[in-house]
Amino acid sequence: MGTTANQDQAIKQFQSIIDQMDESMKNTYQNMHQGYPTETLERFLKARDGNVAKAHKMLVDCLEWRVQNKIDDILSKPIIPINLYRAVRDSQLLGLSGYSKEGLPIIAIGAGLSTFDKASVHYYVQSHIQINEYRDRVILPIATKKFGRHISTCLKVLDMTGLKLSALNHLKLLTTMSTIDDLNYPEKTEIYYIVNAPYIFSACWKVVKPLLQERTRKKIQVLQGCGRDELLKVMDYSSLPHFCRKEGSGSSKNTENGSNCFSADHEFHQQLYNHIKQQAELLDSISPIKQGSVHVGVPDTDPEDAKIAKTIESEFHRLGNLNGRSNSVNGLKVDGN
């Protein structure tokens, strides 16, 4: 992202402010920028449409959130026992399927089939933040080195297969995770690809789309079917999420040669879990590893995000009324056909 004279001046102001911060704030900022402080400041400026005062407040709030919630240590807090971790993975479907042709990590998300019902919300929030931190501290630096240029963003492919009206039950949790991302990990996703979208998604998208900022709207692409042909323009077949590999497969549960990146046994999750265990073992001599979730303070939801969540809730209720309050959308038309 190129900078203008105003942005250059803003970044200099940012840097002078950071120089005056205490050591804990400086340390967490270093963990956050991973050797690219200017690019990190640019992300916060972009997230606040170039408004220096708002971007400065956002950055300071983010750093305070990291310090207060010990985010720098979260990659040394394994979800144990292993059966609990597997339960989280089975109900919070996401993983790394590969890299785009430009070297961006591809995060696959089973939005429709995630149930978030096998553990407390704290474990799901903990897992979400751990994957964010692992992406930023491990995956992106590896991609940067591998592809010979700074890579700081990812692509996300969201599979809407199985989306039901009962998803309303975990709308609050999804809003919590979205708020954490918006305020503390801004501008980390280049494009959101939506695939296997049923009617319920299409109906919600029509009412939500006008509420989104133009910058956000431009990032979201709703693809036909499983999106395979469109996605192959930006990634190789080997990096396609498993639910996009076969036109008409339409399911996050379909796998090919063990390629389900949602599985706790997938290479990505094995590496992530082993990394967290190793970090925990390094600290074990200081304080033994404890069971229990990490409780993270959640910033107040942005009013615009709250409005979007309320709109989705209202649309779900409307669809429920239209369909006899059915919990499933199996009887609804797909893609308006």
Side-chain angles (χ1 to χ4, degrees):
M1 172 181 166
T3 60
T4 65
N6 287 340
Q7 286 175 325
D8 287 338
Q9 184 60 35
I11 288 168
K12 286 180 181 177
Q13 291 175 14
F14 274 150
Q15 194 56 57
S16 66
I17 292 167
I18 290 168
D19 290 341
Q20 297 171 30
M21 290 178 176
D22 63 33
E23 285 305 307
S24 62
M25 296 274 274
K26 287 180 181 177
N27 288 339
T28 198
Y29 177 60
Q30 193 169 15
N31 246 340
M32 191 170 73
H33 70 59
Q34 290 293 311
Y36 293 92
T38 299
E39 290 81 358
T40 298
L41 296 176
E42 287 174 10
R43 287 195 293 107
F44 281 81
L45 269 174
K46 186 176 180 181
R48 289 296 176 260
D49 297 316
N51 185 306
V52 177
K54 289 183 178 179
H56 165 242
K57 183 181 186 307
M58 183 185 188
L59 176 63
V60 171
D61 288 347
C62 170
L63 296 178
E64 289 178 347
W65 174 81
R66 294 182 64 89
V67 171
Q68 290 168 3
N69 292 283
K70 300 181 179 179
I71 301 301
D72 290 343
D73 298 332
I74 203 162
L75 288 181
S76 61
K77 309 288 185 184
I79 294 176
I80 50 178
I82 187 65
N83 287 346
L84 177 60
Y85 179 72
R86 286 185 172 277
V88 170
R89 289 278 59 82
D90 287 344
S91 52
Q92 182 184 30
L93 305 178
L94 77 162
L96 179 75
S97 67
Y99 295 84
S100 74
K101 293 176 181 178
E102 293 185 348
L104 276 63
I106 301 161
I107 307 296
I109 302 172
L113 291 174
S114 291
T115 55
F116 301 102
D117 60 353
K118 299 291 191 294
S120 75
V121 295
H122 298 294
Y123 282 113
Y124 291 113
V125 172
Q126 176 181 343
S127 171
H128 180 78
I129 295 173
Q130 285 178 328
I131 289 176
N132 279 354
E133 291 292 313
Y134 188 73
R135 173 199 64 198
D136 293 351
R137 295 194 227 170
V138 179
I139 297 296
L140 290 172
I142 289 174
T144 293
K145 185 175 181 180
K146 179 179 178 180
F147 291 90
R149 67 180 186 87
H150 181 224
I151 295 175
S152 62
T153 57
C154 64
L155 303 178
K156 290 185 178 178
V157 185
L158 286 75
D159 180 21
M160 294 296 170
T161 297
L163 186 64
K164 299 178 180 179
L165 296 174
S166 57
L168 192 60
N169 296 334
H170 45 258
L171 181 60
K172 184 177 180 180
L173 172 59
L174 293 173
T175 302
T176 293
M177 293 191 291
S178 176
T179 297
I180 288 171
D181 287 354
D182 290 346
L183 297 181
N184 301 293
Y185 303 92
E187 302 299 322
K188 296 299 292 187
T189 302
E190 200 78 19
I191 300 176
Y192 297 87
Y193 295 104
I194 310 295
V195 302
N196 297 321
Y199 174 79
I200 189 173
F201 171 82
S202 303
C204 287
W205 179 236
K206 284 179 183 177
V207 295
V208 168
K209 187 177 180 180
L211 302 178
L212 299 175
Q213 293 182 2
E214 183 181 2
R215 186 181 71 253
T216 303
R217 279 201 305 269
K218 288 180 176 178
K219 289 183 178 183
I220 300 172
Q221 296 186 23
V222 182
L223 305 182
Q224 286 290 320
C226 72
R228 182 188 60 187
D229 293 342
E230 285 298 311
L231 291 173
L232 284 174
K233 295 176 182 178
V234 296
M235 65 187 73
D236 294 330
Y237 183 83
S238 60
S239 290
L240 273 179
H242 56 280
F243 50 80
C244 297
R245 293 193 173 192
K246 202 170 183 180
E247 193 65 57
S249 62
S251 174
S252 289
K253 293 182 178 178
N254 283 334
T255 59
E256 180 180 296
N257 298 325
S259 62
N260 183 351
C261 64
F262 299 153
S263 170
D265 295 317
H266 187 270
E267 181 183 22
F268 166 71
H269 286 298
Q270 287 289 303
Q271 291 173 349
L272 167 62
Y273 196 71
N274 287 336
H275 177 87
I276 294 173
K277 279 177 58 182
Q278 289 167 6
Q279 295 300 309
E281 286 165 4
L282 290 175
L283 297 176
D284 188 32
S285 58
I286 302 173
S287 58
I289 301 172
K290 296 179 180 178
Q291 291 191 28
S293 61
V294 174
H295 289 218
V296 175
V298 181
D300 291 336
T301 305
D302 183 274
E304 290 185 5
D305 289 343
K307 184 178 180 181
I308 290 169
K310 189 67 178 175
T311 301
I312 293 173
E313 183 178 0
S314 297
E315 187 63 15
F316 267 53
H317 283 309
R318 186 186 73 82
L319 291 168
N321 290 334
L322 286 176
N323 291 273
R325 296 189 178 275
S326 168
N327 248 1
S328 172
V329 293
N330 290 337
L332 295 177
K333 294 181 291 183
V334 176
D335 293 333
N337 295 325

